[in-house]
Amino acid sequence: MLRFPALKLAALAVTLATAVPAAAQNVIRVGVLMPISGPASYFGVQGKEGIELALEQVNRGGGVNGFRIQVQYEDSACSPLQATNTVKRVLEQFKPHIVVGEECSDASLAIAPILEQAKVPMLNAGSATNQLTESGYKYVFRIFPNAQQQGEPLGRNAFTKLGARTAVLLHEKTNAGVDNADGFAKAFEAAGGKIVGRIDFGRDVNDFTPIATRIAAMGKVDVLPTFGLEGQQVRLSQALAQAKVVKGGGGSAIQMGSIWLPWGYDAKAGQAAVGYIRIVQFDPTEKRKMVTDFNAAFRAKYGADKTPTHINAHAYDTILLIAEAVRRGAKDSESLRDRFSKMREVEVTTGKITFDAKGQNSDLSVIHFVETQPDLSWKSLNW
Amino acid sequence: MTDLLLLFTQQTINGIYLGCLYVLVALGLTLIYGVMNQINFAHADFVTVGAFAAFFVATRWATKWLGLPDTTGYLLSIVAALGAGALLGLVVNAAVFAPLRNRGDELRPLIATIGVSVLLENGQLALFGPIPFQFDSPFAQHTIRLGRIFFSQQSVLVVIVAALAIGGLYAFMKFTFLGKALRAVSQDRETAGLMGINENFLIALTIVIASALAGMAGALLGPVIVLTPFAGASVIVKAFAIVIIGGFGNMEGTIIAGILVGIIEAFTVQYLGSGVIDLVVFVLLLVMLVVRPTGLIAERREENV
């Protein structure tokens, strides 16, 4: 207890001196909607790791242009219904200047019109469905390549580089899975290839042996483009290898995949992954300074034995992009939207970002193909 | 062998393997219903607990700490998962189910199973995190090939364990005093009590056996499912369907229905696509409810279990 008025005044002065700048501190509020519970919650956990690292770096020394970035995490559970309820509550209570998320296409499609109506930009880093940036929204921006951007080069290169003429599409029964498979089919058939089968599966399918059996019974198939979450893809690859369909099991078909698969898939699938060809956007083995710096900072924060995945990197990049928009003068939702729409070749860990008129990142310069080797390492294919 | 016959044989084998996995999960559900006339919504989470117990025993304790071979480690993990399930059942019954049951209300224990489910899911989420664990059985790496027919050693193991579990449970129910007492409780709880049978002990025993079966199922499912704290949920809906198709509380019906659903699933993938598996299974369930509401084995209620 302070007994003397002079001391009380001094204490008050100190309090005010520290309190006033804090109160006057400009803040960009970011609502982060990610699946934190449920089967897709690994997206949320890895996304949070990336965001926390970026926040540390961006807010160090007082933030950007006097603005600190403040984040509120919310669990949208990869579910359209929960995402809808959550985004309404976040808009009402937290009043974000921008929302980052969701990861799953179906949930992202559910929240996009709500954010559009509220005129709050949505920065998406993990949903693939084409519809997200093809629905005429003015406040939706996506750094993740859409299904068309992922499926098209896969289909084209399957035909031209691998000499494939037949394909069986394997995809989860979601907007993202369907769109990716459609993208592949369109390019592959346009080049002269033939889709001889299309097999979809729900996220509750566990045993892929019957699917592998069905494909084995189809006779010789050249490529198997597969679009699903990591856990199911591991089991699918193992079943295909067991049925001697894919290269990893002594067969001849080449399994192909998208950016969905995080780093670490090959180690989990083991020999079944050998020969797997996929496109990657974030490659932790890339020598670009932005990537090596990110790897170093990530390991310093989370452990020397941890290698960041594309989920970590995409989430990290969303904060970097918000900070860049603020550096360019953004201070509210409208100016954030304006700065995003003018971004050209902004370098982040997952490549360069140039938003087109629809809000889709159109710069695919760092996207490249890799093939899993017998020692489970990646070989870059220079396609 | 013609291609069509080959395909038929292969998908039948795939279906039997899948069916055995479902049977292992569904047996515990039907046992609890048969004796207690209650549905256990936490059963999926007992399966998940078993899967995690097996994972840590197989990949850490047995192989890394005790230096056992992978195969021995995995077999040991099945026993450990059985024990973990039994222990969990014992604790949950003592802490939650028994006190609520003693209040004479049937609804509260039912709702409590939902609470236990949420508690177990989130407890495991806090402990293990949401990133899928890679649980590979050493038996899954080895494929047995008979001409063009193939199946993994793991599927043989699953069928053997399922057969042993079914046989063991059947023998226990038919030939032991406790089994007979359990059947007496399932037929008429009050009269069984008047005959000197300790009803609470037998209900606890039922929960322990069902939970042990769920744990063991988890150990066998672990290398098949995507192992996360929510893993059990991916099989439990079908397990419920199997229990209803088989005849609620009827063990023989559950076994037949489980194998049948596994085979139907395999052939649905072959001829209709895996995207409609749930549709086919639940259409079958609805047809059964309309045509034969008592289930496949239409015994008298008191003869179930």
Side-chain angles (χ1 to χ4, degrees), chain A residues 36-39 41-42 45-46 173 199-202 204-207 209-211 213-214 217 230-232 234-235 238-239 241-244 249 268-269, chain B residues 7 10-11 14 17-18 125 130-132 134-136 140 143 145 150-152 222-226 230 234-235 238 266 269-270 272-275 277-278:
Chain A
I36 298 170
S37 63
S41 49
Y42 67 94
V45 168
Q46 294 187 31
K173 209 169 49 175
I199 301 172
D200 60 6
F201 49 87
D204 59 345
V205 170
N206 291 310
D207 182 27
T209 318
I211 289 180
T213 301
R214 181 176 164 186
E230 183 196 19
Q232 284 191 310
V234 168
R235 298 300 181 211
Q238 289 172 336
Q242 192 187 41
K244 283 192 170 179
K268 288 177 180 174
Chain B
L7 192 62
Q10 182 67 60
Q11 290 293 26
N14 295 341
Y17 159 62
L18 205 53
L125 187 63
I131 297 173
Q134 189 61 26
F135 186 10
D136 284 320
T143 306
R145 295 187 193 279
F150 68 91
F151 45 88
S152 68
V224 179
I225 53 178
V226 179
F230 308 93
S234 64
V235 288
K238 282 203 196 87
V269 169
Q270 180 64 46
L272 297 176
S274 49
I277 290 171
D278 287 347

Side-chain angles (χ1 to χ4, degrees), chain A residues 80-263:
Chain A
L81 180 62
Q82 186 159 335
T84 302
N85 292 336
T86 305
V87 81
K88 284 179 180 169
R89 183 167 42 78
V90 168
L91 286 171
E92 177 80 18
Q93 295 174 356
F94 183 57
K95 301 190 187 314
H97 296 108
I98 182 168
V99 165
V100 168
E102 228 261 5
E103 282 286 334
C104 299
S105 288
D106 296 353
S108 295
L109 285 174
I111 62 172
I114 299 167
L115 292 169
E116 184 79 3
Q117 194 177 19
K119 295 186 186 303
V120 172
M122 167 184 179
L123 187 54
N124 185 282
S127 303
T129 182
N130 295 327
Q131 296 171 59
L132 192 61
T133 46
E134 296 291 332
S135 300
Y137 298 129
K138 299 276 182 273
Y139 288 82
V140 171
F141 296 89
R142 171 165 54 185
I143 61 175
F144 195 62
N146 65 26
Q148 180 63 27
Q149 289 170 321
Q150 295 186 52
E152 194 278 331
L154 276 170
R156 181 168 32 84
N157 284 311
F159 189 89
T160 57
K161 306 287 187 188
L162 294 175
R165 296 295 177 263
T166 54
V168 173
L169 299 169
L170 291 156
H171 63 88
E172 63 170 34
K173 209 169 49 175
T174 59
N175 274 299
V178 171
D179 282 3
N180 264 293
D182 286 347
F184 179 94
K186 198 173 163 189
F188 190 63
E189 287 177 327
K194 188 179 177 192
I195 305 296
V196 294
R198 180 172 187 141
I199 301 172
D200 60 6
F201 49 87
R203 283 187 175 169
D204 59 345
V205 170
N206 291 310
D207 182 27
F208 286 91
T209 318
I211 289 180
T213 301
R214 181 176 164 186
I215 296 169
M218 288 178 173
K220 188 178 178 301
V221 177
D222 296 328
V223 284
L224 299 167
T226 51
F227 306 102
L229 296 181
E230 183 196 19
Q232 284 191 310
Q233 291 237 37
V234 168
R235 298 300 181 211
L236 177 56
S237 297
Q238 289 172 336
L240 290 167
Q242 192 187 41
K244 283 192 170 179
V245 172
V246 291
K247 277 189 169 180
S252 61
I254 296 170
Q255 209 181 344
M256 299 184 85
S258 70
I259 300 172
W260 295 26
L261 282 187
W263 173 268

Side-chain angles (χ1 to χ4, degrees), chain B residues 160-185:
Chain B
I160 291 171
V161 171
L164 288 175
I166 291 165
L169 200 56
Y170 186 81
F172 172 76
M173 288 293 183
K174 295 284 180 195
F175 305 122
T176 68
F177 173 76
L178 279 176
K180 286 173 185 167
L182 262 180
R183 285 159 55 205
V185 169

Side-chain angles (χ1 to χ4, degrees), chain B residues 168-293:
Chain B
L169 200 56
Y170 186 81
F172 172 76
M173 288 293 183
K174 295 284 180 195
F175 305 122
T176 68
F177 173 76
L178 279 176
K180 286 173 185 167
L182 262 180
R183 285 159 55 205
V185 169
S186 77
Q187 284 171 20
D188 189 329
R189 207 182 283 185
E190 279 183 20
T191 310
L194 291 171
M195 297 291 119
I197 292 171
N198 186 339
E199 173 198 338
N200 282 331
F201 169 74
L202 286 170
I203 287 176
L205 182 67
T206 304
I207 292 174
V208 167
I209 294 172
S211 307
L213 283 169
M216 190 172 69
L220 294 165
L221 270 165
V224 179
I225 53 178
V226 179
L227 185 51
T228 70
F230 308 93
S234 64
V235 288
I236 202 67
V237 179
K238 282 203 196 87
F240 273 120
I242 286 163
V243 169
I244 296 168
I245 293 168
F248 243 122
N250 188 299
M251 270 178 51
E252 290 90 340
T254 300
I255 294 160
I256 295 168
I259 306 282
L260 189 67
V261 166
I263 292 172
I264 287 173
E265 187 168 327
F267 280 94
T268 302
V269 169
Q270 180 64 46
Y271 294 109
L272 297 176
S274 49
V276 294
I277 290 171
D278 287 347
L279 187 72
V280 171
V281 170
F282 283 90
V283 164
L284 175 68
L285 185 147
L286 289 174
V287 169
M288 282 299 297
L289 284 176
V290 172
V291 177
R292 201 176 167 85

Side-chain angles (χ1 to χ4, degrees), chain B residues 11-43:
Chain B
Q11 290 293 26
T12 304
I13 290 170
N14 295 341
I16 290 171
Y17 159 62
L18 205 53
C20 285
L21 284 172
Y22 290 152
V23 167
L24 283 170
V25 178
L27 268 181
L29 274 177
T30 210
L31 188 63
I32 287 181
Y33 187 84
V35 174
M36 298 163 61
N37 209 14
Q38 183 186 308
I39 297 166
N40 180 15
F41 287 109
H43 197 72

